[in-house]
Amino acid sequence: MRRRTVLATLTAATLTAVIPAAPAAADPPGDQPLPGYTISNPPLPPAMVDGRPSRVLQGVHEHAAYDIEVPPRWNGQLVMWAHGYRGASRVLTVEPPSYGLRQRLLDQGYAWAASSYYANDYDVRAGVLSTHALTRRFAREVGSPRKTFIAGVSMGGHVTARSIEEFPRTYDAALPMCGVLGDHALFDFFLDFQVVAQDLADLPAYPPPPDYVTSVVPKIQERLGLNDPAPNALGKQFRAIAVNRSGGDRPGAHAAFAYWQNFLFNLAEPAPGDSLAQQPDRVATNVFTRYTPSTPVNVNRTVQRVRPADPGARHTRRLTAVPSIAGRPNVPVLSLHNIGDMFVPFSMEQHYRKDVARNHRGGRLVQRAVRNAGHCEFSPAEAGAAWDDLVRWERTGERPAGDDVLRPGAPDFGCRFTDPTAYPTGTRPLFPACP
């Protein structure tokens, strides 16, 4: 049974100025959305840069809406922004760079461009191709940039990491934030969460029935004591397995589990449609997964093993809606991730680190941990410092500092690059304040 696995909802502003799609029977021109889609891209007011307005260009290119913004004194360099998951909506929207980066880029002389992508759902292929196509439109409308950077959040991090491998001659450096850098491993984690909980509660329910969230999940939570002040022995084992699968024992892990558990159970709701983009969990498997701890129940002997429903999509190197990331960056990559994130879990960084190291390209990757439990919860200072350090690295060749994401167990892990002035906003109070 096909299920929804939802990534971050990083939506744009209120939807207005809807452009109707061309008739389904027609093959629409590139300045119209694909059949079934509409576009909402309200006018973007120019930003002020040193007392002068920026130049804003908006339109539709190859079925995707776009925004381009150029400062009055352009330095000849471009930043492509890749947005996150838009869900099953059939309205295409554009998102300017977040975390204060839009103004920061313009103040530093950078132009930026962002695409809606030509499709929604979990369609990384659409993100990669639409973003790359927009670089050509920028060259035509503004001029060919001397350098092109790419940055993205959540699913946009997946778009970013695959883009630098798909089009290695286009991009000069990359900044994925809270990104799906472990590609298929994200959907493996969602699968793990359901089948392990079912196994420990002795409530087999995979594939999940239509009433799974309303009827089965409450029984699982009751049997594991997940809603009690402290889980029972089985619940503690489940929590430990979920923590290990999401990045290992690290500061705030138990609090992060409590914060995310209900949301993760809800991901088993049925999804509309039958395409890979609509049901990315078709690539998920746990056939060879080893779960720890294995007491009081040896889950490795009792858990239901699930093969990928779409093994072709799982194993191909082609650019699909849910593509693999080889871990072969040929440009500097600086990533940010929240250590308590269990939606796009911190383990994504660990998978990417191992892939990059296996390809002997570790010198091109710097990773930074931010100490909170939210998804894409960064302060302007955290994102801004990462951007500035990435640019300096690309320009000078001097690799900036980062965290060892494979060793997250120290009590102060995540403190080095966490903005102390952002405490105690958001989910940061789930962690002790950094010294």
Side-chain angles (χ1 to χ4, degrees), residues 166-386:
E166 192 74 18
F167 299 106
R169 297 182 179 180
T170 298
Y171 304 105
D172 293 276
L175 179 64
M177 295 184 281
C178 49
V180 187
L181 302 181
D183 53 65
H184 307 141
L186 172 67
F187 305 100
D188 295 346
F189 171 71
F190 293 155
L191 172 65
D192 293 335
F193 195 88
Q194 307 302 332
V195 296
V196 170
Q198 294 166 20
D199 186 69
L200 290 171
D202 196 21
L203 287 168
Y206 191 88
D211 64 346
Y212 178 71
V213 172
T214 57
S215 297
V216 181
V217 169
K219 295 177 182 177
I220 292 174
Q221 292 175 318
E222 179 181 4
R223 292 191 184 185
L224 303 185
L226 297 180
N227 292 328
D228 298 337
N232 58 33
L234 293 175
K236 290 178 180 178
Q237 183 181 1
F238 174 56
R239 181 178 63 189
I241 289 173
V243 166
N244 286 332
R245 296 293 294 154
S246 66
D249 192 21
R250 56 202 188 275
H254 288 184
F257 173 85
Y259 179 82
W260 283 109
Q261 63 143 324
N262 288 333
F263 183 86
L264 292 171
F265 276 123
N266 286 334
L267 293 182
E269 292 180 349
D274 57 5
S275 70
L276 181 61
Q278 292 166 321
Q279 297 180 11
D281 58 332
R282 284 165 47 186
V283 302
T285 184
N286 70 336
V287 170
F288 299 111
T289 302
R290 302 294 298 175
Y291 299 103
T292 58
S294 57
T295 58
V297 175
N298 188 351
V299 174
N300 294 301
R301 297 186 63 180
T302 57
V303 74
Q304 181 178 352
R305 298 294 179 174
V306 179
R307 296 184 180 278
D310 189 341
R314 171 81 186 201
H315 300 297
T316 185
R317 295 293 184 182
R318 294 185 300 107
L319 179 60
T320 67
V322 191
S324 63
I325 298 172
R328 294 180 178 273
N330 65 342
V331 297
V333 178
L334 196 158
S335 68
L336 291 179
H337 219 105
N338 311 109
I339 67 173
D341 190 354
M342 294 183 74
F343 189 7
V344 177
F346 188 68
S347 56
M348 296 292 100
E349 298 290 337
Q350 297 168 336
H351 286 290
Y352 191 53
R353 163 58 65 183
K354 292 175 183 177
D355 288 342
V356 170
R358 186 163 49 248
N359 291 308
H360 309 289
R361 303 197 182 192
R364 293 174 181 167
L365 175 63
V366 168
Q367 296 166 290
R368 291 180 176 178
V370 175
R371 201 175 170 98
N372 57 49
H375 178 55
C376 301
E377 186 181 348
F378 305 115
S379 74
E382 290 159 351

Side-chain angles (χ1 to χ4, degrees), residues 58-242:
Q58 296 178 278
V60 181
H61 181 65
E62 296 188 13
H63 312 299
Y66 69 83
D67 288 355
I68 292 172
E69 190 167 22
V70 186
R73 299 182 65 180
W74 180 39
N75 65 9
Q77 301 181 69
L78 170 64
V79 180
M80 304 303 298
W81 180 259
H83 71 67
Y85 179 71
R86 287 288 190 266
S89 170
R90 289 300 175 260
V91 179
L92 304 177
T93 59
V94 184
E95 172 190 301
S98 306
Y99 313 111
L101 287 174
R102 175 191 175 191
Q103 190 66 49
R104 191 184 200 95
L105 296 173
L106 296 170
D107 289 343
Q108 294 177 352
Y110 293 89
W112 65 266
S115 171
S116 70
Y117 315 153
Y118 63 73
N120 286 331
D121 298 307
Y122 196 86
D123 197 335
V124 173
R125 183 177 187 273
V128 170
L129 295 180
S130 291
T131 300
H132 186 257
L134 185 54
T135 65
R136 299 193 298 269
R137 182 63 177 252
F138 181 93
R140 190 172 80 197
E141 298 282 346
V142 180
S144 297
R146 294 187 294 107
K147 294 179 180 179
T148 301
F149 299 80
I150 184 168
V153 290
S154 193
M155 188 189 84
H158 198 162
V159 171
T160 297
R162 179 65 192 228
S163 289
I164 61 175
E165 296 180 354
E166 192 74 18
F167 299 106
R169 297 182 179 180
T170 298
Y171 304 105
D172 293 276
L175 179 64
M177 295 184 281
C178 49
V180 187
L181 302 181
D183 53 65
H184 307 141
L186 172 67
F187 305 100
D188 295 346
F189 171 71
F190 293 155
L191 172 65
D192 293 335
F193 195 88
Q194 307 302 332
V195 296
V196 170
Q198 294 166 20
D199 186 69
L200 290 171
D202 196 21
L203 287 168
Y206 191 88
D211 64 346
Y212 178 71
V213 172
T214 57
S215 297
V216 181
V217 169
K219 295 177 182 177
I220 292 174
Q221 292 175 318
E222 179 181 4
R223 292 191 184 185
L224 303 185
L226 297 180
N227 292 328
D228 298 337
N232 58 33
L234 293 175
K236 290 178 180 178
Q237 183 181 1
F238 174 56
R239 181 178 63 189
I241 289 173

